[in-house]
Amino acid sequence: MLEGSILQKLEKAHRNTTRPIRFGVYYKNTLVSLCHALEDHILTQDGTPLVITAFQQGKWYLQEAERYADIAKCSRQIVIMATSDASFAEHPTSQLPNVDLVALDSNDPVAQEWHLIILSPEYTAMVLCQELSEADYGAGGIPASDVERKFYGLWTFEPELVQETAKLAIAHIQKYNPELSQKLANHKNAIKSSIATPEHFSAVVSRVVDYLQTEQNNLAIPTALRQQALDRNLVSNEIQAFLRMAQLMDMADVNNPMAATEVVALCEMMGQLLELPAWQIKRLRLAGFLHRIDPLQKAESVLTPGTSTRYQEQAPSCPLTCPLVPGAQVLRTMPRLRAIAQIITHQSEWWNGTGEPASLTGDEIPLESRILALVADFQWRVNNIKSSQKTRQEIFAQALDECRQQQSTRFDPKLVDALALLVMGLQQGLDLPLMSPKLSTGVWLLDSQWDSYSKTSTAQHK
């Protein structure tokens, strides 16, 4: 990480804090897709954002200059940093009144960085990366293929982190153009960014995933091994998009900001109690991270009640299929996550068949959906009771008792009994193994077996 770069300053500010930044490695084609998705999203909004970007070299900006003319029409102010190349300042986009260029010195560490910082009243977004040095590439050296160039950094929607980075970028611009730096600071202070609504993030996340998948389909790399590496990087970022969406929804809930993390821990412990296979626990874990994505909660299903058990008897090696209404589920845009969409959608089914969206009954409801419904409800109750003056043992006992009142109506009675065992351990001092999602490496939540596993989650546990 280059000394004096914006990435390095951000990392240093968070070093040895309770919120250290996790970075990842991204191929150029991944970053192109991410930036195009976030840039094009500006064209669909009325927020007139402040946009600060770094292109490394002027020639890369010139390739995007026409697009930036359109983006400028929807933006409050655009600043473009890059080392100056031929025609860098002559392009018509550069002459627009709300577009400013900052010609970086060739030895400026920011000239090795790739930035896109978007501050809007409706949302924030950022890509912040630095190209690997020749030494970082190792024995293979700098790749011949441009799309295989690698960058180290992060991307996020988190308002505080984006605002902090924008402040660092504005401070860096100050030594080149103090007047512009002050103007940008005024713009930044005038924008009161907030966490976007679920509907808004559903739109931007869908766009990000769509662009990544398009790039995945268009890859043309000489060898299968190199193709696999690039493909895996794209898939990882598709998952990251969903995880970031879920993370911000938790942050927006000031009364229960740890919901996803605690539900994941409870799901994993329940899975171990039930002796579920590792692939199923991994799938349940990802569903736990994403279970509060609002668009999914409203999703419809055309799964016919009573068909899941018959389907399983006919083809026990095939998954319970849920042909959800196209467009109703943001997760269905990614084939590998359709099983997760199914789990989340059917968490609102009731054991007695009076739930939604398909009125499934008993073991017709996917097992992961039944587990998720129970532990999410339990976590919510525990969180609500925490504000009282009760002891740890009393809090868990009351939450469990409230869940038991819905045993055999809303919840699977066998799972409530399993939860009782888990609560016994919590009352005796067992701690939840809380684990935040590693957003910089989202692919860790997937398994190569998922492409070939067609396991159903309707296994009977008696």
Side-chain angles (χ1 to χ4, degrees):
M1 197 175 295
L2 296 175
E3 184 70 27
S5 66
I6 295 175
L7 187 70
Q8 186 266 340
K9 290 176 182 177
L10 185 66
E11 185 277 332
K12 185 177 181 181
H14 287 260
R15 194 183 303 165
N16 301 321
T17 69
T18 56
R19 294 185 61 198
I21 298 176
R22 294 188 177 98
F23 299 104
V25 175
Y26 306 90
Y27 285 98
K28 179 182 176 180
N29 66 319
T30 300
L31 293 183
V32 169
S33 296
L34 279 171
C35 289
H36 281 179
L38 296 175
E39 290 164 352
D40 288 355
H41 190 67
I42 294 173
L43 304 177
T44 69
Q45 303 302 309
D46 300 322
T48 58
L50 168 63
V51 181
I52 302 174
T53 183
F55 278 93
Q56 296 181 287
Q57 300 177 32
K59 65 178 182 179
W60 304 124
Y61 153 66
L62 290 173
Q63 291 181 4
E64 304 287 342
E66 294 294 336
R67 297 181 71 254
Y68 267 77
D70 292 331
I71 295 169
K73 297 174 185 176
C74 306
S75 301
R76 174 189 295 249
Q77 184 76 31
I78 294 178
V79 177
I80 296 161
M81 294 185 280
T83 56
S84 181
D85 290 339
S87 302
F88 174 62
E90 284 71 37
H91 192 281
T93 299
S94 309
Q95 313 306 316
L96 295 174
N98 63 336
V99 175
D100 286 283
L101 303 183
V102 176
L104 300 175
D105 296 334
S106 58
N107 60 352
D108 189 329
V110 176
Q112 301 302 317
E113 294 189 308
W114 182 336
H115 301 167
L116 175 62
I117 304 168
I118 301 171
L119 278 176
S120 165
E122 282 77 30
Y123 75 107
T124 60
M126 174 176 75
V127 173
L128 181 68
C129 290
Q130 187 176 113
E131 186 162 15
L132 269 61
S133 66
E134 186 173 359
D136 292 329
Y137 279 107
I142 298 175
S145 172
D146 192 51
V147 297
E148 294 180 273
R149 289 166 55 203
K150 295 180 182 178
F151 294 78
Y152 182 72
L154 78 157
W155 67 277
T156 184
F157 298 120
E158 188 177 341
E160 290 184 5
L161 202 56
V162 177
Q163 290 166 353
E164 181 181 356
T165 307
K167 184 177 180 179
L168 291 172
I170 292 170
H172 193 83
I173 292 169
Q174 200 274 338
K175 67 179 182 180
Y176 289 98
N177 190 332
E179 183 180 349
L180 174 60
S181 178
Q182 184 59 54
K183 181 169 71 171
L184 295 175
N186 292 339
H187 282 314
K188 175 183 175 296
N189 293 335
I191 297 172
K192 304 301 181 183
S193 298
S194 60
I195 295 176
T197 63
E199 291 75 15
H200 185 100
F201 265 113
S202 175
V204 68
V205 167
S206 293
R207 185 183 296 273
V208 167
V209 172
D210 181 58
Y211 280 42
L212 289 168
Q213 289 181 340
T214 299
E215 177 63 29
Q216 197 173 349
N217 295 334
N218 293 337
L219 280 177
I221 305 300
T223 68
L225 186 61
R226 289 154 68 191
Q227 168 85 29
Q228 185 180 41
L230 290 168
D231 183 80
R232 188 172 178 83
N233 198 250
L234 288 163
V235 170
S236 172
N237 282 275
E238 291 170 32
I239 301 167
Q240 287 181 51
F242 292 119
L243 290 173
R244 293 176 196 283
M245 180 179 178
Q247 179 191 43
L248 286 177
M249 288 180 179
D250 265 4
M251 290 173 59
D253 186 351
V254 294
N255 296 316
N256 195 8
M258 292 294 290
T261 303
E262 291 178 354
V263 165
V264 168
L266 289 166
C267 281
E268 188 155 11
M269 296 177 78
M270 284 285 285
Q272 292 171 354
L273 275 175
L274 298 170
E275 298 182 346
L276 299 184
W279 66 266
Q280 201 167 17
I281 292 177
K282 181 175 285 190
R283 192 162 72 177
L284 184 57
R285 184 187 304 159
L286 182 51
F289 277 129
L290 301 177
H291 81 282
R292 295 218 296 180
I293 293 181
D294 282 4
L296 294 174
Q297 302 282 27
K298 301 178 178 71
E300 298 179 40
S301 172
V302 293
L303 180 66
T304 303
T307 59
S308 60
T309 303
R310 292 198 300 271
Y311 183 86
Q312 176 65 7
E313 290 171 351
Q314 295 167 4
S317 63
C318 295
L320 170 65
T321 57
C322 181
L324 302 168
V325 176
Q329 298 246 24
V330 64
L331 288 185
R332 280 176 57 81
T333 60
M334 186 176 175
R336 292 194 188 199
L337 294 185
R338 287 179 181 172
I340 306 303
Q342 172 189 296
I343 294 168
I344 294 172
T345 299
H346 292 291
Q347 68 177 311
S348 52
E349 305 284 359
W350 282 41
W351 181 255
N352 64 5
T354 62
E356 297 177 343
S359 300
L360 300 181
T361 302
D363 289 324
E364 291 177 345
I365 306 168
L367 175 60
E368 295 103 321
S369 300
R370 285 179 267 149
I371 295 173
L372 183 59
L374 176 59
V375 300
D377 185 78
F378 176 76
Q379 188 278 337
W380 177 79
R381 294 180 186 281
V382 168
N383 185 73
N384 285 350
I385 302 169
K386 278 180 181 177
S387 59
S388 65
Q389 299 300 312
K390 297 181 182 294
T391 66
R392 173 188 175 99
Q393 289 78 7
E394 291 171 336
I395 291 172
F396 289 131
Q398 181 178 331
L400 175 62
D401 183 62
E402 291 175 0
C403 289
R404 273 185 168 146
Q405 292 174 23
Q406 301 181 80
Q407 189 171 9
S408 299
T409 54
R410 181 180 177 187
F411 299 127
D412 180 342
K414 301 183 297 294
L415 294 183
V416 175
D417 291 342
L419 179 62
L421 293 176
L422 176 55
V423 167
M424 189 182 301
L426 294 172
Q427 289 175 319
Q428 295 175 0
L430 177 67
D431 289 324
L432 288 177
L434 299 182
M435 175 179 60
S436 298
K438 299 176 183 178
L439 298 181
S440 60
T441 53
V443 79
W444 70 281
L445 282 165
L446 284 188
D447 192 306
S448 60
Q449 292 177 310
W450 278 27
D451 294 329
S452 56
Y453 258 132
S454 295
K455 303 279 189 181
T456 182
S457 54
T458 55
Q460 306 287 322
H461 284 267
K462 299 180 179 179

